[in-house]
Amino acid sequence: MKICIIGTGYVGLVTGTCLGDLGNEVIFCDIDVGKISSLKEKKIPIYEPGLREIFIRNFERGRLLFSTDTADSVARADVVFITVGTPEDESGAADLSYVKVVASEIGKSLNRYKVIVNKSTVPVGTSRLVKRIVRENSSADIDFDVVSNPEFLREGCAVEDFMNPDRVVIGTGSKRAIETMTKLYEPLKADIFVSNPESAEMIKYASNAFLATKISFINAIANVCSAVGADVERVAKGMGFDKRIGPHFLEPGPGYGGSCFPKDCKALAKTADDHGYDFYLLKAVMRVNEDQKRLIGKWVEEMLGDVKDKQIGILGLAFKPETDDIRESAALTVLQYLKQRGANILAYDPIAMNNIKSVLNDDIRLVANAYDVAEGSDAVILLTHWEEFKKLEYGKVKSLMRQPFFIDTRNCLDPDEMERLGFVYRGVGRGAC
Ligand code: NAD
């Protein structure tokens, strides 16, 4: 099929590249001229494991095209994917302005029947809204369908997730659109779950809110564990054997971040508020998460006392390993907390350094490796569990530090070994400091 992807970010680029690999011809369209120029030169603007190889392979097969001309890109396609951002607005709701602009552009360029697929995360009712905007901007005799097809890929393993999804959700009442979407996804051999658009839209928010709830729950349990002397790692493992609970998303840490959970939880709570339901469970999930991020800064103060003019080393800036995405990363909150109190911050991340530069400017000193972070530091905080941080020579790290305080917010190191090496080690929910 001929596919047009409007919005060539994390989701659009992965979706289009993978659909190209499945044998389709894909036109990537974005308003970001720099992004499209880079892609034309085979330069991928994001870090995502495995993406480069598939991208190059399909680029060379001539299956991937790039454009800033939305009208032309839409006109050439059978299926048009909307994959633009839906950030939170001032009220916490999803900002649909990018989706609306794209819908009107699609309407204006509609030249024959097309399936318009909304892959962006959008509140219930957006399929209807997109349909209305496309209709208002198109000629009345051209037919089209709008499908809600939320995306569940995770940054860091996005290609793997796209190619092997737990399920593909298709929200539409149109048989013709279901046939097109089924044909498109058929090579993945995944379970296809068809529902009405409203339920499809809600599946995405409910899934993200549930996963965020699991994270806040285990973080709350971790804090109780610390208070009573239990080890949350043993607790989570013991809980996870129960099939009703399962082992996933029971990893304590510095709170969830990234471009999805924070904004999607807020948007769902706002939708509920707007419809007269106070979703106080979800509001508590968000509050636990904000508190968790701030707790890390407080732990540093508990260890060092006043942090003014102390040197704090940060290992990891991305919101999780295997991505360069720092949006809503716990590291940002921790850095700001310590910076406001006068600490000097040194930081290193294997991939996300360029992205942090654009946000924090001169607030922190970025260094070339993990050992440079340790050199002269009074405390080191591990915030992203990159594999390379698990494999450091911690004896060397300790010998470089001015004081031996170490906070492992991902519980990825062995507390006994760290103590044997002479660190004053604190994990999350692994007994008191
Ligand atoms: P992103 O910010 O990385 O990319 C969005 C792209 O859309 C940008 O390149 C931007 O320039 C482009 N854009 C904006 N307006 C445009 C227009 N009028 N025409 C063409 N291009 C335009 O966003 P993302 O992280 O890929 O997320 C996209 C959507 O997918 C969001 O709704 C998000 O919630 C959802 N989602 C994201 C993830 C994820 O892990 N990032 C996972 C699942 C779902």
Side-chain angles (χ1 to χ4, degrees):
M1 286 186 220
K2 289 192 188 322
I3 311 286
C4 169
I5 302 276
I6 309 186
T8 310
Y10 284 87
V11 169
L13 194 54
V14 171
T15 300
T17 305
C18 292
L19 289 176
D21 207 45
L22 300 180
N24 302 287
E25 183 184 300
V26 181
I27 308 178
F28 292 95
C29 181
D30 206 289
I31 43 168
D32 185 333
V33 180
K35 208 177 248 188
I36 292 297
S37 306
S38 303
L39 287 165
K40 280 182 180 166
E41 291 167 18
K42 294 197 235 179
K43 288 188 200 136
I44 299 181
I46 55 166
Y47 176 78
E48 192 57 53
L51 182 61
R52 196 177 155 69
E53 293 80 347
I54 310 186
F55 181 87
I56 300 290
R57 183 163 73 227
N58 289 287
F59 186 102
E60 281 165 2
R61 283 173 176 160
R63 288 189 189 159
L64 309 183
L65 305 167
F66 310 92
S67 175
T68 49
D69 183 343
T70 313
D72 177 60
S73 308
V74 170
R76 290 158 65 175
D78 308 310
V79 181
V80 181
F81 278 86
I82 304 176
T83 50
V84 293
T86 48
E88 68 181 84
D89 70 12
E90 287 134 27
S91 72
D95 175 356
L96 292 179
S97 55
Y98 303 101
V99 173
K100 288 184 194 164
V101 167
V102 170
S104 80
E105 287 176 351
I106 295 172
K108 284 176 201 149
S109 321
L110 210 63
N111 54 344
R112 58 184 159 85
Y113 173 79
K114 290 176 204 297
V115 178
I116 300 161
V117 184
N118 190 24
K119 213 175 224 329
S120 297
T121 302
V122 289
V124 173
T126 307
S127 268
R128 257 178 283 138
L129 175 72
V130 167
K131 198 169 184 170
R132 205 186 68 223
I133 297 175
V134 174
R135 185 78 294 165
E136 281 168 4
N137 286 279
S138 60
S139 141
D141 56 344
I142 304 176
D143 201 11
F144 67 92
D145 281 307
V146 176
V147 173
S148 165
N149 172 222
E151 182 50 59
F152 300 94
L153 63 75
R154 296 162 296 170
E155 286 175 23
C157 45
V159 172
E160 173 68 20
D161 283 351
F162 187 90
M163 291 299 206
N164 301 289
D166 290 337
R167 78 306 205 185
V168 172
V169 173
I170 294 175
T172 177
S174 155
K175 272 198 183 147
R176 193 174 177 187
I178 293 170
E179 267 168 32
T180 304
M181 296 303 287
T182 306
K183 199 169 148 207
L184 190 62
Y185 281 114
E186 213 250 313
L188 296 181
K189 310 259 175 280
D191 288 331
I192 292 189
F193 183 78
V194 179
S195 75
N196 62 15
E198 290 75 14
S199 303
E201 288 161 346
M202 185 54 100
I203 287 167
K204 176 65 190 174
Y205 279 103
S207 299
N208 275 2
F210 187 72
L211 293 170
T213 303
K214 276 188 109 174
I215 295 172
S216 279
F217 183 84
I218 202 66
N219 280 336
I221 291 288
N223 295 331
V224 180
C225 283
S226 282
V228 299
D231 181 349
V232 72
E233 290 297 323
R234 302 301 293 162
V235 173
K237 193 157 185 156
M239 287 168 69
F241 288 120
D242 188 325
K243 290 188 189 65
R244 295 168 303 176
I245 298 170
H248 306 293
F249 271 76
L250 288 180
E251 288 156 19
Y256 59 77
S259 67
C260 292
F261 287 178
K263 80 170 171 62
D264 293 347
C265 287
K266 278 187 206 159
L268 180 55
K270 179 72 170 57
T271 299
D273 274 340
D274 290 347
H275 289 79
Y277 177 69
D278 182 6
F279 201 158
Y280 55 85
L281 172 64
L282 187 54
K283 289 175 185 170
V285 166
M286 295 189 275
R287 205 177 129 201
V288 168
N289 198 57
E290 284 315 304
D291 288 352
Q292 192 71 9
K293 290 183 190 176
R294 277 194 293 273
L295 259 185
I296 312 297
K298 286 187 187 142
W299 290 347
V300 181
E301 290 178 303
E302 276 172 28
M303 284 173 155
L304 296 178
D306 189 356
V307 296
K308 187 162 186 317
D309 296 328
K310 296 273 167 50
Q311 181 178 306
I312 317 286
I314 303 282
L315 293 176
L317 299 163
F319 85 95
K320 64 185 218 178
E322 300 301 328
T323 182
D324 58 351
D325 199 346
I326 54 155
R327 290 179 282 185
E328 300 273 342
S329 166
L332 294 174
T333 311
V334 175
L335 286 171
Q336 268 147 13
Y337 183 98
L338 295 170
K339 199 72 210 166
Q340 276 163 8
R341 287 159 182 79
N344 299 321
I345 315 277
L346 245 62
Y348 166 73
D349 186 286
I351 300 286
M353 307 260 262
N354 277 341
N355 284 345
I356 208 89
K357 270 186 214 155
S358 56
V359 182
L360 289 179
N361 301 319
D362 301 330
D363 278 356
I364 59 171
R365 189 146 66 85
L366 296 172
V367 293
N369 61 56
Y371 298 108
D372 288 354
V373 159
E375 184 142 23
S377 283
D378 295 290
V380 168
I381 314 172
L382 189 155
L383 278 159
T384 318
H385 41 312
W386 285 97
E387 276 305 311
E388 76 170 68
F389 296 156
K390 296 180 193 169
K391 294 178 189 150
L392 294 175
E393 284 175 50
Y394 277 96
K396 183 175 167 187
V397 171
K398 159 83 179 36
S399 68
L400 291 166
M401 290 172 67
R402 186 156 57 196
Q403 297 195 69
F405 296 107
F406 195 99
I407 297 177
D408 172 9
T409 71
R410 301 290 182 168
N411 289 353
C412 60
L413 304 172
D414 178 353
D416 293 337
E417 177 60 11
M418 291 297 277
E419 270 156 31
R420 194 190 63 74
L421 290 170
F423 284 101
V424 178
Y425 171 90
R426 179 162 192 167
V428 179
R430 297 179 126 178
C433 187

